[in-house]
Amino acid sequence: QVQLVESGGGLVQAGGSLRLSCAASGRTFSSYVMGWFRQAPGKEREFVAAISRTGDTTYYPDSVKGRFTISRDNAKNTVYLQMNSLKPEDTAVYYCAGDRTIGVVLSMKFDYWGRGTQVTVSS
């Protein structure tokens, strides 16, 4: 089992940048595929990014491709989300997620979730 804690959210102007971090507990972080999701008020949760266990493969939807970058440091049990060129529509609570299943990027049914961090982008 792994516990996830997000940090780094805040208020930023459109066009700005933020870097989110997700710290994981436990000694098996490198065995988890990690992902970021977001949920805006009144909307369904949306996939933002995912990264393989070794960090050599990443996944993004078109809505953030080229603006967001997911990375991980297995020595620090941490996954990051660098967000550039932020837009007001990126405003949401951002959640970190983890799962041991390699194929979780197909189902998007991650087992473990953090509590989220708020990102607000002003116009």
Side-chain angles (χ1 to χ4, degrees):
Q1 189 171 354
V2 64
Q3 293 183 327
L4 305 172
V5 179
E6 303 94 337
S7 62
L11 174 64
V12 63
Q13 288 188 334
S17 299
L18 278 176
R19 188 175 84 153
L20 305 183
S21 299
C22 172
S25 65
R27 291 178 281 183
T28 59
F29 177 71
S30 61
S31 66
Y32 287 81
V33 174
M34 299 300 297
W36 287 95
F37 291 76
R38 66 186 180 188
Q39 188 165 21
K43 294 188 177 181
E44 294 187 353
R45 188 171 61 196
E46 177 187 17
F47 167 67
V48 174
I51 189 166
S52 63
R53 295 181 294 183
T54 59
D56 58 352
T57 305
T58 56
Y59 309 85
Y60 305 95
D62 289 342
S63 57
V64 306
K65 194 173 295 184
R67 299 189 299 123
F68 290 11
T69 303
I70 188 171
S71 61
R72 68 189 296 161
D73 185 336
N74 285 345
K76 294 183 178 180
N77 282 15
T78 302
V79 62
Y80 305 97
L81 184 68
Q82 177 67 44
M83 305 185 293
N84 299 328
S85 302
L86 282 162
K87 306 175 182 179
E89 51 264 43
D90 294 319
T91 296
V93 177
Y94 282 71
Y95 298 91
C96 174
D99 198 281
R100 288 179 173 269
T101 307
I102 294 175
V104 69
V105 292
L106 297 177
S107 69
M108 292 298 169
K109 294 180 179 179
F110 284 75
D111 277 342
Y112 301 100
W113 294 84
R115 294 188 175 184
T117 185
Q118 176 71 46
V119 171
T120 303
V121 184
S122 64
S123 57

